[in-house]
Amino acid sequence: MTHGVMKDILRNLPRVLILACVEAGRFLSSCLQSDVHTAVLCSPGNLIPHSKLYGKEVLGSEVASLEWACSQGSLKHVIVCGHSNCQILDVLGRSQMQSASNSRSSPFLSWLTQHGNSTLTRFERYEMDRLQPVTFQGVSPKELWDAYVDPQCYWTDQDQLSQVNVLQQLQNVSSHGFLKPQLKSGALQLHGMWLDSRHLPYLFSKEHQQFVQVKDDNIDSLLK
């Protein structure tokens, strides 16, 4: 069933790049099978470095791969995809209690703490009042949008962190100059998706200001 829903989403979104966590890559690849119009780019915790880090940190291959994919001219949609029970984000949360020397001794921890810090900062603000929306920035500083992470108080703290992370990565992706013209014109669309423990997909809806479970009767409206 979950494979069927994912295929329905991708059928409605031709020429897609999915930015996924390495933990969810296998499931997504099994959904795609021989779909030549969809590609999956995996990184730990589906993190994409913000453009403000240019010249300050080594960004890694994620942004370079994103730029290359978008430069081919045929890409129409980018999906940032997070998932339930993300062990990498659990490591990120626990990294706050570790010494800086421990992070520097591990390439994985060093990269994770550098590029995951904005997610932790955003989650800490959210924890101060979970009933209030969290504000994110779009393509420009004037383009702001709100998100209610878990208004029904249904998800675990770990899953709430994962959802905040998807939204933070949407902001990070849209910060890159090579994407701004396409995003502003609508030639390229950016979506936030989250998979629960059963791999059921949720898409973030700016209209509803929260993640909404994808069903047969709402796919079209959620993808607008």
Side-chain angles (χ1 to χ4, degrees), residues 72-111:
Q72 301 308 296
S74 61
L75 195 64
K76 300 299 181 184
H77 301 270
V78 174
I79 299 176
V80 177
C81 181
H83 65 97
S84 176
N85 193 32
C86 181
Q87 298 304 302
I88 291 174
L89 291 182
D90 185 52
V91 172
L92 174 63
R94 289 187 279 110
S95 69
Q96 289 183 304
M97 299 178 288
Q98 298 179 357
S99 65
S101 60
N102 286 341
S103 295
R104 287 194 297 268
S105 65
S106 165
F108 167 67
L109 285 178
S110 178
W111 187 91

Side-chain angles (χ1 to χ4, degrees), residues 87-152:
Q87 298 304 302
I88 291 174
L89 291 182
D90 185 52
V91 172
L92 174 63
R94 289 187 279 110
S95 69
Q96 289 183 304
M97 299 178 288
Q98 298 179 357
S99 65
S101 60
N102 286 341
S103 295
R104 287 194 297 268
S105 65
S106 165
F108 167 67
L109 285 178
S110 178
W111 187 91
L112 187 66
T113 53
Q114 285 174 5
H115 302 308
N117 183 63
S118 57
T119 290
L120 290 180
T121 300
R122 189 77 66 175
F123 188 70
E124 288 170 357
R125 294 176 187 169
Y126 160 69
E127 284 187 305
M128 295 175 64
D129 190 346
R130 300 190 183 213
L131 297 180
Q132 294 299 313
V134 185
T135 301
F136 295 87
Q137 180 180 310
V139 178
S140 70
K142 294 182 179 180
E143 183 183 324
L144 303 176
W145 46 276
D146 291 335
Y148 289 89
V149 179
D150 188 14
Q152 287 80 32

Side-chain angles (χ1 to χ4, degrees), residues 1-53:
M1 178 181 177
T2 56
H3 284 67
V5 176
M6 285 298 300
K7 288 179 179 179
D8 286 341
I9 293 175
L10 297 175
R11 191 178 299 116
N12 282 270
L13 294 179
R15 300 169 183 169
V16 181
L17 175 65
I18 302 178
L19 307 176
C21 177
V22 292
E23 295 180 37
R26 180 178 299 178
F27 167 74
L28 290 170
S29 296
S30 68
C31 292
L32 302 178
Q33 295 178 346
S34 60
D35 190 340
V36 297
H37 298 296
T38 304
V40 180
L41 173 62
C42 294
S43 66
N46 54 277
L47 298 179
I48 299 295
H50 194 280
S51 65
K52 67 183 179 182
L53 297 178

